[in-house]
Amino acid sequence: EFADARTILRLNASLVSRDAAAARPGDLLAFQQAGQRLPEHLMVFLGRSAFEADRSDWVVYHTGPDTLTGTPGEMRKASLADLRQHPAPRWRPVTGNPAFLGVYRLRIP
């Protein structure tokens, strides 16, 4: 089955904060990229990794398919600290970025 990011946010998650520092493991970082076919994008906050304990702010996300090259996309891992310095400001999880919708927590019964 498939649910797009908009549906997940609307029906299954609640806004926690626009401050990424409020994220707990399992929370979603939500972005909106206007002009794209699927404009909402989610990243999952992991926190500390059992494999790389030097950081406590890991995030994973799927890049999405690349229609220009026909590739399906890939999973990537980044730290919040690195994302805050992302070369494209629209991907920075900071309150001053209008494309960053905030931290959401799944509503699990």
Side-chain angles (χ1 to χ4, degrees):
E1 296 296 325
F2 173 81
D4 61 20
R6 178 181 296 169
T7 301
I8 291 170
L9 293 176
R10 187 171 49 90
L11 299 178
N12 301 98
S14 299
L15 178 65
V16 172
S17 177
R18 289 250 314 127
D19 182 356
R24 295 191 321 210
D27 284 349
L28 305 172
L29 303 180
F31 295 83
Q32 179 151 8
Q33 306 296 335
Q36 294 188 4
R37 185 177 62 84
L38 294 171
E40 290 82 12
H41 298 273
L42 301 176
M43 297 180 181
V44 179
F45 181 75
L46 299 177
R48 186 168 303 282
S49 167
F51 302 104
E52 297 181 64
D54 61 322
R55 302 200 75 126
S56 60
D57 64 344
W58 291 112
V59 173
V60 294
Y61 61 96
H62 191 274
T63 62
D66 185 336
T67 55
L68 295 176
T69 64
T71 57
E74 62 189 25
M75 291 297 298
R76 292 190 182 167
K77 175 184 75 169
S79 70
L80 276 179
D82 289 342
L83 285 175
R84 286 185 182 108
Q85 303 298 318
H86 196 284
R90 65 190 181 127
W91 292 113
R92 294 179 186 163
V94 295
T95 56
N97 175 7
F100 177 56
L101 301 177
V103 176
Y104 285 76
R105 190 157 295 144
L106 291 171
R107 292 189 301 264
I108 300 174

